[in-house]
Amino acid sequence: MTSPVLVTGGAGFIGSNFVLDWIAATGEPVVTLDALTYAGNRENLASLEVDPRHHFVHGDILDRALLDELLARHRPRAVVHFAAESHVDRSIHGPAAFVKTNVEGTFTLLEATRQHWAGLAEAERSAFRFLHVSTDEVYGSLLPDAPAFTEAHAHAPNSPYSASKAASDHLVRAWHHTYGLPVLTTNCSNNYGPFHFPEKLIPLMIVNALAGKPLPVYGDGMQVRDWLYVKDHCAAIREVLAHGRVGETYNIGGWNEKPNVEIVETVCALLDEMRPDPAGPYLRLVKHVVDRPGHDRRYAIDARKIERELGWRPEETFESGLRKTVRWYLDHAGWVERVQTGAYRDWLSTNYAARSQAEAGHVGAVPG
Ligand code: NAD
Ligand code: DAU
């Protein structure tokens, strides 16, 4: 059988889409390593439960002994590294887990991979790849008419999350420069699509609207993000893994800059059409709440390098991708219900209760 790819964080939002699409597109095997934090969900991979091409391992990227054992046993031809703490608001409330997983975890994975790679025979060693999945947030915030981020843009992270991802990018770069580890790094913009945990903007708006709950928009809602349908991101990663130049960084984006208020309006309009609420248009539920501390105003990705070198462009428009996404949430009410556990409810109260109290003039939005 072909050597597998080892996918870290493969039970999360993008990771699970990647694993499902990888097996569907290539037929090649995958070993998924995931610690199953609040964001990891084995149910996302349920369709692969009895598929011999998929092997799931419940474990932590900080566990060096486990990594050594997995690499020796499965002899993957590549590591695709998604595992991370990924939510900016959580990083503001509790940054320690971000440093632990995103920095120390990436370091541990790099070291285990380096040792494994160094012991491979020449043919396997030169074909091996370590692909690090990172974010546009490492570049910091753009002024309204500044050009979009290219790969040459300096790192200037502003949140504990983006600082921890920037640190991991630097480690990956150094492991290539110093040890020759054959790395690739991708920096992608905001994803949306199936299996997106409903703490992030788009799925939160969908599930709250359907439940008749407020749609919390931070500050004036004019912060701009560049949105990409998750399956386009997965296709881009497959291209970079197959044909990317070792040691290079590739920016991935949707050419889709939009302010948050427009995202919320579009979600509401789609829901009005697909699941009308007798009580009235969903936009009535919008509530402006206290802003995210240090909130980056604008991200925009210049994705010309990946198009020029690898021929990748997104297939979905924002309209087609968002329509598919809303449809998916309407068709997967059971999945939504099951992820809204006690832990999810605790998070909502941690993040939003203080914001509402601050609105009413009581306390600040963020614990000191
Ligand atoms: P997610 O939070 O949905 O999933 C993260 C996964 O990693 C979960 O399954 C979790 O259980 C797992 N994990 C966390 N800590 C771990 C550890 N110590 N060991 C093993 N597994 C662990 O995140 P996502 O949105 O799917 O993002 C995946 C990657 O893509 C992250 O590295 C993120 O920085 C990057 N990224 C995300 C976006 C986006 O819009 N979501 C955009 C660009 C880049
Ligand atoms: O840019 C890529 C990044 O996109 C990834 O690296 C992160 O892992 C991913 O979570 C995402 O980060 P954001 O902070 O941009 O995503 P989030 O969905 O949390 O927020 C999107 C925008 O919506 C942001 O400007 C904050 C705003 N927002 C978010 C929430 C949860 C609101 O206005 N209200 C909300 O309730």
Side-chain angles (χ1 to χ4, degrees), residues 9 11-15 33-37 39-40 59-62 82-86 101 133-135 161 165 188-191 200:
F13 162 46
I14 307 175
L33 171 64
D34 198 294
L36 296 179
T37 68
D60 199 309
I61 57 166
L62 284 145
F82 292 96
E85 289 291 337
S86 71
T101 284
V133 180
S134 191
T135 168
Y161 163 68
K165 289 297 290 188
C188 188
S189 62
N190 284 61
N191 286 216
K200 307 280 175 74

Side-chain angles (χ1 to χ4, degrees), residues 86 135-137 161 190 201 216 218 225 260 292 295 352:
S86 71
T135 168
D136 59 1
E137 300 206 11
Y161 163 68
N190 284 61
L201 182 71
Y218 295 166
R225 299 290 182 268
N260 294 336
R292 174 185 278 175
H295 201 169
Y352 296 100

Side-chain angles (χ1 to χ4, degrees), residues 41-59:
N41 185 352
R42 274 199 78 166
E43 188 180 339
N44 299 359
L45 300 170
S47 62
L48 297 174
E49 207 59 56
V50 293
D51 192 317
R53 295 168 298 182
H54 186 236
H55 183 71
F56 182 82
V57 180
H58 181 191

Side-chain angles (χ1 to χ4, degrees), residues 86-101:
S86 71
H87 188 30
V88 174
D89 292 315
R90 285 185 190 256
S91 83
I92 295 166
H93 286 273
F98 288 71
V99 174
K100 200 90 192 143
T101 284

Side-chain angles (χ1 to χ4, degrees), residues 252-265:
I252 304 172
W255 299 106
N256 237 321
E257 280 187 67
K258 293 194 187 300
N260 294 336
V261 283
E262 194 181 324
I263 301 298
V264 177
E265 283 164 14

